[in-house]
Amino acid sequence: MRVSRALLAAEAVVLPTLVSTLALGRTADGMRPRGYEQASDHDAGTPYQNGSNLPRPMPPNQSEGTVKLLPISIVHEFGVGTFVENIAVRSNGLLLVTTPINGQGAHELVQVDPFNRGRRPVVVARFPFNCTGIVEVERDVFYISVVDLVNPPSPSSALYRVDVGGFAADSGGAVTHPADVQRAVALPNMPYLNGATIVDRARGILLVGDAALGTIFRVDVRTGAVRVLVHSSLLQPRPTSPIPGVNGIRVRDGVLYAANSGTAQLLQAPIDAGATRLLGPLQVLQENLVGDDFALDAHRSIYLTTHIFNSVVKIDRHGARTRIAGGPASPLLAGSSSAAFGRTARDRAVLYVTSDGGLVAPVVGVVRGGKILAIQGAKTA
């Protein structure tokens, strides 16, 4: 459908809100988060090659490497105006996605069955503010980043605990047994909570990033303790840009990976087993590649969603890039935002990808519904 006045109005709200949110991260005291203990000796980051820590300009050309497009299909398409932000896969194969905004103004966690695509999605939880990151800490227990992006920074920013172990719904989508939803860990005055990742399931340790502050926090969900793992200019957004800073974050084999959307860089740093500190400075792993969130496979290949470039790019362990889905003018992958691999025997090679349908950056002037898509054979690409 063509962009309606209502959708243009919605976009006019979203983009300035992000601009003002990102601006809040730039304070006179060096853009540092206030009120949280510093956990890392390497919180200043590493100067870029030219010796400057200033955010770099957006690259003139997105560099996505060779093109080897894989089969892709739609698992579910939401209504126009729904931003499908992040995804997690349950052990039973069902998908959970966060929708920070939708056409009705709600902020929801939604469950979708990828094996029965005619079945209606089910709303698992509704939140008072925008829901962004999602991470599983123990079986069927997920923590959701919730932040007020309209009036940041807000004392209401928090992690919500959602236990879906007993959640059930009938074939029509009506909930027969609700999930247990609790506001679990307060994260006050964080303006733009975004990506999250698990570090230690047994101890309940996770990391959550703030895309405005340029900070990654270590959170103990058992005790509620929160401290700064790393605060760096390399994680901050570019000045006066609506594109966020640190976005997707992952930890694998003693390495922290982070995507900075605004500077078009992928970063890495060694990290200790309990995520109490970085063992070295942040370094640039990839550049000239705008990325949102991403998935990792067992071989440490990165599957990066590019959001405004409407694609998914695989980066192998040697740094070679291959675009495996979408492209600059792709309506199917418009606004690709996050990715996760299936967890059952039926879909372990399937990469599930979310999108906003072009809500932030319409493809040829058209906004579509946000989607969940399935890329076949991604792990063997």
Side-chain angles (χ1 to χ4, degrees):
M1 64 176 290
R2 286 286 160 186
V3 183
S4 67
R5 290 188 177 183
L7 284 174
L8 288 173
E11 185 184 343
V13 169
V14 170
L15 293 181
T17 295
L18 294 182
V19 172
S20 62
T21 299
L22 297 178
L24 286 167
R26 299 174 178 81
T27 60
D29 60 351
M31 300 179 281
R32 291 189 176 275
R34 299 173 179 175
Y36 295 95
E37 178 187 355
Q38 299 287 325
S40 176
D41 295 331
H42 298 280
D43 63 348
T46 301
Y48 188 63
Q49 294 173 0
N50 64 5
S52 171
N53 264 340
L54 294 176
R56 303 176 63 234
M58 182 70 82
N61 295 298
Q62 174 88 339
S63 178
E64 299 186 353
T66 59
V67 178
K68 183 182 177 181
L69 300 181
L70 298 177
I72 187 170
S73 60
I74 297 174
V75 175
H76 182 75
E77 182 169 353
F78 294 82
V80 175
T82 299
F83 190 140
V84 190
E85 164 66 7
N86 219 312
I87 184 168
V89 182
R90 295 181 59 185
S91 58
N92 62 8
L94 298 179
L95 311 178
L96 294 174
V97 295
T98 58
T99 59
I101 52 175
N102 64 21
Q104 290 72 48
H107 323 294
E108 298 174 335
L109 179 66
V110 180
Q111 179 172 278
V112 175
D113 186 344
F115 308 118
N116 297 286
R117 299 189 180 183
R119 190 168 184 175
R120 296 182 60 181
V122 183
V123 176
V124 176
R126 290 188 172 91
F127 304 101
F129 303 107
N130 309 96
C131 49
T132 53
I134 178 171
V135 60
E136 186 177 26
V137 174
E138 52 190 287
R139 183 184 176 93
D140 279 339
V141 177
F142 295 82
Y143 283 77
I144 318 296
S145 303
V146 176
V147 59
D148 185 355
L149 293 177
V150 177
N151 298 293
S154 167
S156 301
S157 300
L159 290 175
Y160 278 69
R161 181 183 186 274
V162 181
D163 185 341
V164 296
F167 179 77
D170 63 25
S171 59
V175 173
T176 56
H177 194 288
D180 180 24
V181 182
Q182 303 174 21
R183 188 175 186 268
V185 181
L187 300 170
N189 301 319
M190 294 189 189
Y192 197 166
L193 294 178
N194 203 336
T197 192
I198 188 66
V199 175
D200 188 330
R201 295 186 190 279
R203 296 170 56 201
I205 306 298
L206 59 84
L207 302 179
V208 59
D210 190 292
L213 297 175
T215 305
I216 297 174
F217 295 88
R218 178 188 189 272
V219 181
D220 184 331
V221 300
R222 307 278 192 260
T223 67
V226 182
R227 62 192 304 195
V228 174
L229 172 69
V230 56
H231 170 78
S232 172
S233 58
L234 288 176
L235 298 172
Q236 291 168 348
R238 295 187 308 134
T240 69
S241 170
I243 301 177
V246 60
N247 209 317
I249 54 176
R250 295 287 184 270
V251 174
R252 177 67 59 85
D253 299 329
V255 179
L256 168 69
Y257 299 90
N260 185 324
S261 303
T263 61
Q265 293 176 332
L266 272 172
L267 309 166
Q268 67 174 8
I271 187 172
D272 73 349
T276 60
R277 64 189 182 96
L278 298 186
L279 301 177
L282 281 168
Q283 295 181 330
V284 177
L285 177 64
Q286 297 279 323
E287 57 184 338
N288 296 320
L289 185 61
V290 174
D292 194 324
D293 212 329
F294 56 94
L296 288 168
D297 68 15
H299 304 290
R300 288 189 294 177
S301 291
I302 298 168
Y303 299 79
L304 183 72
T305 59
T306 64
H307 206 132
I308 59 175
F309 286 94
N310 316 313
S311 63
V312 176
V313 177
K314 177 182 177 180
I315 307 161
D316 70 20
R317 60 190 301 177
H318 305 294
R321 304 178 188 180
T322 304
R323 189 205 305 159
I324 61 172
S330 170
L332 189 63
L333 266 175
S336 56
S337 55
S338 188
F341 281 104
R343 295 177 61 182
T344 74
R346 297 174 63 181
D347 64 352
R348 290 191 194 282
V350 175
L351 183 69
Y352 294 107
V353 177
T354 57
S355 78
D356 72 0
L359 184 64
V360 171
V363 177
V364 294
V366 180
V367 174
R368 297 163 177 85
K371 298 180 184 68
I372 304 172
L373 303 113
I375 301 174
Q376 303 294 326
K379 279 189 178 177
T380 59

